[in-house]
Every structure is written in C-alpha cells, then in structure tokens.
Amino acid sequence: MAVPNITGIWLKDKKASDSMDDMCTAMNLSFLFKQAVNLMKGIEITQDDATLVVCSISLVNWFQVKETYRMDGTPGETKRRDLRKGKTQASIKVIPPSPEYPGGAIDMATEWGEPYAGFGNDVFSLQDQNTLIVIAPGPSGTNPSSTKTSTTGSSSSEVVGASGVHVVMDV
C-alpha cells in the first residue's frame, strides 16, 4: 500500500484559525502553557521509509515537541505533548485510499498515562500536493476537530469539525 508523503513545513495562519483555549482547558493546561500553544507557529514533518517525525515550530523556546513514529506501525515512546512527566505511546497506521481520503491518510495514535491520562488520534491526509488536512479528536478521543494546512499560496479555506476548533496553516 502506498504511503502518502506528508513531508513539509506547515505554518499556522492565526487570522484564519480559532483559538485553542477550549482544547487547552479540556486538557487542564496552565495559563502559561495555553499561551505557549497560542504562540505555536506550525509543524515540520519529515518522513522516510522507516520513520515519520513531527516537530513543533514555536516562538517559545521551551515549547518544543518532537514525536517520532515508526512507519511499520510498531508502537514507540515519545515525549508528552503537554510536557508533563511520563511518556506517550505513539504509533501510526496507513489508511488506504477511500472516498474520504482519496490519496490515503496516516493515522497517528497517541496514549499517555497519569497525570491526566488520555489518548488521541491525528489523521493526516493530502487534499492535493500543497494542502494537508488534519482531523484531530479532542482529549480522550472526544470533540473531533479538523485542521486544514497548505504549504503554498496566500489564500486559505477551512474545515470546521464538530468541536468548532480548527487551525488553518499556510506558507
């Protein structure tokens, strides 16, 4: 099965994006951490046959998250996104092409223990070679939201999920 290549630098368009405050509140994050989330500029994704690496791009130096996933789907450990103690179990699976994902998709699954145990999935799919769609449930797999990102162009469109939280990214 062909794996979609989602390598790229994806920058957040703050003007076209909703606030992430409600998501941060649901995850019981501090005021300082909420501010760091709001200052996140985007993500950089690198991918090869063995791994997929997602790194945050932030204006806050201490708010750097790097997640490494094994392309064969084998679970691995990574740092928690909320930077609390403990590790996150992380794995991916490739979703074959379908009417919902014409080019296929990559489902990134994460699960973490106490404090504030939970799980989540981020489904990344390319709408075209310049536009990445991310569908991400909220904490503990509730409140689905959608993210539309683009590596090129100055215009943005958006997809709003059931939670109403979305992020639009452009170059």
Side-chain angles (χ1 to χ4, degrees):
M1 170 182 344
V3 178
N5 188 335
I6 58 174
T7 297
I9 295 176
W10 308 95
L11 300 177
K12 183 177 180 180
D13 180 346
K14 288 190 68 86
K15 290 180 183 178
S17 300
D18 284 346
S19 168
M20 296 298 292
D21 288 343
D22 290 341
M23 187 70 71
C24 290
T25 299
M27 294 178 70
N28 201 27
L29 300 177
S30 70
F31 174 80
L32 182 62
F33 201 90
K34 286 179 190 179
Q35 296 309 308
V37 168
N38 287 327
L39 292 172
M40 194 169 120
K41 290 177 64 176
I43 56 175
E44 180 175 5
I45 300 174
T46 55
Q47 179 179 344
D48 60 32
D49 291 339
T51 59
L52 184 139
V53 180
V54 180
C55 297
S56 63
I57 302 170
S58 178
L59 295 174
V60 180
N61 288 336
W62 59 262
F63 186 62
Q64 302 294 320
V65 178
K66 178 180 179 180
E67 298 175 344
T68 301
Y69 298 85
R70 297 181 185 131
M71 294 302 292
D72 67 3
T74 306
E77 283 190 344
T78 191
K79 191 176 189 178
R80 286 177 61 146
R81 290 179 184 175
D82 61 9
L83 305 182
R84 291 184 171 121
K85 290 183 181 181
K87 296 287 185 181
T88 296
Q89 293 295 315
S91 64
I92 65 171
K93 77 175 180 182
V94 176
I95 299 172
S98 67
E100 185 176 9
Y101 305 114
I106 297 175
D107 181 356
M108 300 175 188
T110 55
E111 185 171 350
W112 57 95
E114 294 295 341
Y116 305 104
F119 64 91
N121 287 74
D122 300 320
V123 179
F124 288 66
S125 66
L126 290 171
Q127 181 177 15
D128 56 48
Q129 75 181 154
N130 296 318
T131 306
L132 178 71
I133 303 291
V134 181
I135 302 169
S140 298
T142 61
N143 273 341
S145 63
S146 298
T147 302
K148 185 169 186 176
T149 63
S150 175
T151 59
T152 62
S154 59
S155 65
S156 301
S157 57
E158 54 199 52
V159 178
V160 180
S163 70
V165 176
H166 67 284
V167 178
V168 178
M169 296 186 190
D170 279 314
V171 167

